[in-house]
Amino acid sequence: NLWHYNCLDTVATWESAMAIHKELEEFGTLSFYQTHSHKLIEPLIKMQRRGVRIDGPYRATLDIGLEKKIVELQAKVDSAVGHPLNVNSPLQMKNFLYKELGLPEQTKRKTGNVTADEDALNKLSKQFPNPLFDVILEIRHLRKVVSTDVRAPLDSDGRLRTSYVITGTETGRLASRGSVYGTGTNLQNIDRDVSIRRMFIADEGKVLI
C-alpha cells in the first residue's frame, strides 16, 4: 500500500503539473508564472525553514504584562456594566448593547444579521459616545494580540515559523499562516506596537530591518 501510494502520488503530481502547464499556455500566463511566481518558491521555502528568532524571556514577561492589563480593563468594564461581561461573546455583547443599553441594532451588510463586531462598536461610539466602548475594543485587541502573536506556538528550537502562500490573494501579494506542523502564526500581520515586535530578534551577526 505504501509503495502504491508513493508511486500514485508521483504520477498524479506530474500529470497535474502538465495539465496546469497547458492551461497557463492557453491563458497566456505561463511567462508571468515563470518570471514571478515560480521564482518565489525557493526563497520562500528557505524563509519558512529558517523562521524567526524569538526572545523567549522577553516574550514571557510581555505575556504577563498584557494579561495583567486585560484583567484590569475587564474589571473596569464589569464595574461599569454592573455584572461580568465577556466582550468576546457575540451573544452577551448584543444583549448588552441592544437590550440593556437600548441602542439601535447594527447589522452586517452582506448578511443582514445583527452584530456587535468592531465595526458596530465604532459606529455606535460615534453616534453615542461612551468611553466604555473604547475599553471594550482595547480588551478585544489585546486578547487577539496575546493569542495570535505573543502566544503563537514556537518550534522546538524556540523559533517562530510561518507558511507563505504565493497564491493567497487575488491581488498577487503574499499571504501567510501558521506552519504545516501547527506552530507559528501569520508573520505578515504582527501588531505594529513596538513592545510586541521587540520579541523578534536577529540572529547572531544579523540585523532586522
Side-chain angles (χ1 to χ4, degrees):
N1 289 336
L2 179 62
W3 282 110
H4 177 78
Y5 173 84
N6 288 339
C7 292
L8 184 61
D9 191 37
T10 302
V11 173
T13 300
W14 174 258
E15 291 178 348
S16 297
M18 293 302 96
I20 293 173
H21 190 281
K22 183 179 180 181
E23 288 185 354
L24 288 171
E25 290 181 320
E26 293 175 350
F27 282 99
T29 55
L30 178 60
S31 177
F32 178 85
Y33 168 77
Q34 292 175 330
T35 57
H36 292 77
S37 302
H38 189 78
K39 289 187 176 181
L40 288 173
I41 296 176
E42 185 175 350
L44 289 180
I45 288 177
K46 290 182 178 179
M47 290 166 63
Q48 290 179 176
R49 288 177 174 173
R50 180 180 295 128
V52 183
R53 187 182 178 192
I54 298 295
D55 186 334
Y58 175 78
R59 188 171 96 136
T61 301
L62 178 64
D63 191 339
I64 294 173
L66 290 176
E67 187 60 37
K68 181 180 178 181
K69 186 174 182 180
I70 291 172
V71 170
E72 293 172 349
L73 293 174
Q74 184 64 54
K76 290 183 179 180
V77 170
D78 294 345
S79 176
V81 174
H83 60 78
L85 176 65
N86 181 355
V87 301
N88 279 345
S89 167
L91 183 61
Q92 290 189 32
M93 283 300 301
K94 284 188 286 187
N95 184 69
F96 170 65
L97 293 173
Y98 309 130
K99 292 184 179 180
E100 294 184 37
L101 297 184
L103 298 176
E105 292 184 345
Q106 304 297 306
T107 58
K108 287 184 176 294
R109 181 179 300 178
K110 291 184 177 180
T111 63
N113 295 331
V114 177
T115 179
D117 61 11
E118 183 177 347
D119 289 336
L121 280 174
N122 284 324
K123 289 180 181 178
L124 290 172
S125 180
K126 292 179 180 179
Q127 298 178 48
F128 310 93
N130 188 330
L132 188 59
F133 292 155
D134 293 331
V135 180
I136 291 174
L137 288 171
E138 179 67 6
I139 293 174
R140 285 182 172 181
H141 171 70
L142 291 178
R143 283 183 177 175
K144 182 179 180 181
V145 168
V146 169
S147 63
T148 61
D149 296 348
V150 180
R151 293 179 185 171
L154 304 180
D155 286 312
S156 58
D157 57 0
R159 299 176 77 87
L160 189 64
R161 292 180 171 83
T162 190
S163 291
Y164 289 102
V165 186
I166 298 176
T167 59
T169 66
E170 293 182 359
T171 59
R173 69 172 178 80
L174 286 174
S176 69
R177 54 185 176 231
S179 75
V180 295
Y181 302 106
T183 58
T185 187
N186 176 2
L187 285 177
Q188 294 177 263
N189 198 32
I190 299 298
D191 193 271
R192 292 181 178 275
D193 192 308
V194 176
S195 66
I196 306 299
R197 296 197 170 197
R198 270 187 57 196
M199 67 180 181
F200 297 93
I201 54 178
D203 289 318
E204 299 296 336
K206 307 292 183 179
V207 294
L208 290 177
I209 300 178

